[in-house]
Amino acid sequence: MSARLEHVAYRLVYDAMNLRRLPSLPHWLLPSARLRVRLTYLWRHGRLPNLGNPTRFTELIQRRKLLDRDPRMGLYVNKVTAKAAAARLFGENWIIPTIWTGNSLPENPDWTFPFILKASHGCNQNAVCYDASDYQIARRRASKWADKPYGLWLDEWAYRDIPRGFIVEPFLGNRAALPVDYKIYVFGGVAAFIQVHVDRVKNHRWVLYDRRWNQISKFDEAPVTAPTSLDRMVANAERIASPFDFARVDFYEIDGMPKFGEVTFYPGSGLDRFDPEELDALIGSRWAEALNTRPCQADVPSYQAAAM
């Protein structure tokens, strides 16, 4: 596509977007992944990403969408195989038990309430079920989760070929409060930041800390007490993320015991804004450093070897 036509496409699609929700850009309408990535970034950030020389964290995620085809990522974004990999590395006591997994949800399961139903092939597709009526609602919702590959609409390549299915786990929170979510950003095998998500039921918000637990965002927020298992979380985040120039590894702490959550390679799809905005460049600088020091793809073990 010529630069002139590409510019016209940006304006036409951007002006037509519903700015109240993230648009899904169909591939038949916009067959260029680069164009789709640039448009969704423009919609969220009000500027086009620098894909030739990305410096912001959010820009580097767009670069990963377009260029990073490391097949090992598929092992870790699949919630079923990620738990198995984490159990081998950390031990079974770090793993939230699996009640059930499969690709066709039963109509009337005998699982103990409450539990959480998740799509095993994507993110942000989950439902807490406190009783049978909740489950029936969740079951209807879940049918839509499996309609198409999760990674297709936002060009998150690692998700595209994961078998579509579901996983059920015991619910670790309660109606009033979900567990605090500790999301550890690891660059080149070194943990640098911990994003702490609190009050996820009533007033969901997050605060960023460095690895020494110094608060570096949202200074009007009251400080969050560090989890007692922070050092162990950081150590295991570095272990599981070590093959990659960047990965985010999520944990919970339940009754003083750390529990593995998930691994993601596209946090917020690079479309969430940072507060303050300068954090985008700061976090991006850590990723850029890791990219400059990592071995090339030919020098790292294969996906099959990593999965052994």
Side-chain angles (χ1 to χ4, degrees):
M1 181 181 292
S2 70
R4 172 67 178 170
L5 287 175
E6 189 172 283
H7 175 75
V8 171
Y10 290 147
R11 295 314 314 168
L12 288 175
V13 177
Y14 181 60
D15 291 344
M17 284 179 180
N18 179 352
L19 298 182
R20 290 174 294 179
R21 64 182 182 88
L22 181 65
S24 176
L25 301 180
H27 288 209
W28 61 264
L29 176 63
L30 292 173
S32 166
R34 183 182 178 90
L35 179 56
R36 291 191 302 270
V37 162
R38 286 166 68 84
L39 279 170
T40 53
Y41 192 91
L42 173 65
W43 176 82
R44 286 294 291 171
H45 295 284
R47 61 176 182 272
L48 290 170
N50 183 345
L51 298 176
N53 183 31
T55 57
R56 295 181 173 95
F57 178 76
T58 54
E59 292 174 333
L60 285 159
I61 290 180
Q62 311 315 311
R63 174 190 180 276
R64 167 171 273 176
K65 291 179 188 179
L66 296 173
L67 300 178
D68 193 344
R69 298 296 181 261
D70 187 336
R72 296 170 300 173
M73 292 193 294
L75 171 70
Y76 294 105
V77 297
N78 181 327
K79 287 182 169 57
V80 175
T81 56
K83 289 176 72 170
R88 288 193 296 270
L89 284 173
F90 311 158
E92 289 288 347
N93 59 320
W94 283 74
I95 307 304
I96 299 169
T98 297
I99 296 174
W100 176 90
T101 185
N103 57 19
S104 180
L105 288 166
E107 185 173 352
N108 295 298
D110 58 358
W111 309 325
T112 301
F113 293 104
F115 56 78
I116 184 165
L117 168 65
K118 304 176 182 179
S120 57
H121 60 282
C123 287
N124 298 318
Q125 295 175 327
N126 56 73
V128 178
C129 300
Y130 295 99
D131 53 39
S133 62
D134 285 344
Y135 174 69
Q136 294 306 321
I137 294 170
R139 187 167 177 260
R140 289 192 292 272
R141 285 177 55 199
S143 66
K144 298 180 180 179
W145 303 342
D147 281 349
K148 57 186 177 181
Y150 173 82
L152 192 64
W153 73 299
L154 285 176
D155 290 283
E156 296 176 353
W157 174 86
Y159 291 98
R160 294 197 310 173
D161 297 325
I162 297 174
R164 283 166 256 176
F166 310 98
I167 186 169
V168 176
E169 298 172 342
F171 180 53
L172 301 180
N174 56 60
R175 288 181 183 269
L178 296 173
V180 175
D181 199 351
Y182 304 96
K183 301 177 181 293
I184 302 178
Y185 287 61
V186 184
F187 301 95
V190 179
F193 306 103
I194 302 102
Q195 191 180 56
V196 184
H197 287 245
V198 297
D199 200 4
R200 292 187 290 145
V201 173
K202 297 179 180 178
N203 183 26
H204 185 193
R205 60 201 187 279
W206 59 263
V207 182
L208 195 68
Y209 290 81
D210 66 19
R211 66 177 292 151
R212 295 182 177 84
W213 209 255
N214 296 306
Q215 187 170 336
I216 58 174
S217 78
K218 300 184 179 178
F219 298 104
D220 55 333
E221 289 280 349
V224 179
T225 302
T228 58
S229 56
L230 177 63
D231 289 344
R232 287 183 289 160
M233 289 181 184
V234 167
N236 276 337
E238 292 178 338
R239 290 181 70 193
I240 201 168
S242 63
F244 306 100
D245 48 69
F246 165 71
R248 196 195 74 199
V249 188
D250 300 357
F251 297 94
Y252 309 102
E253 188 175 74
I254 308 299
D255 297 327
M257 295 297 296
K259 297 294 181 182
F260 170 72
E262 65 178 357
V263 179
T264 185
F265 299 96
Y266 314 96
S269 205
L271 301 175
D272 289 342
R273 298 172 181 173
F274 284 92
D275 180 16
E277 187 177 340
E278 290 77 13
L279 287 175
D280 199 357
L282 172 65
I283 300 172
S285 69
R286 297 301 299 267
W287 194 345
E289 289 173 11
L291 284 167
N292 290 332
T293 58
R294 299 296 283 180
C296 67
Q297 181 65 32
D299 297 332
V300 298
S302 68
Y303 169 89
Q304 288 79 10
M308 292 297 288

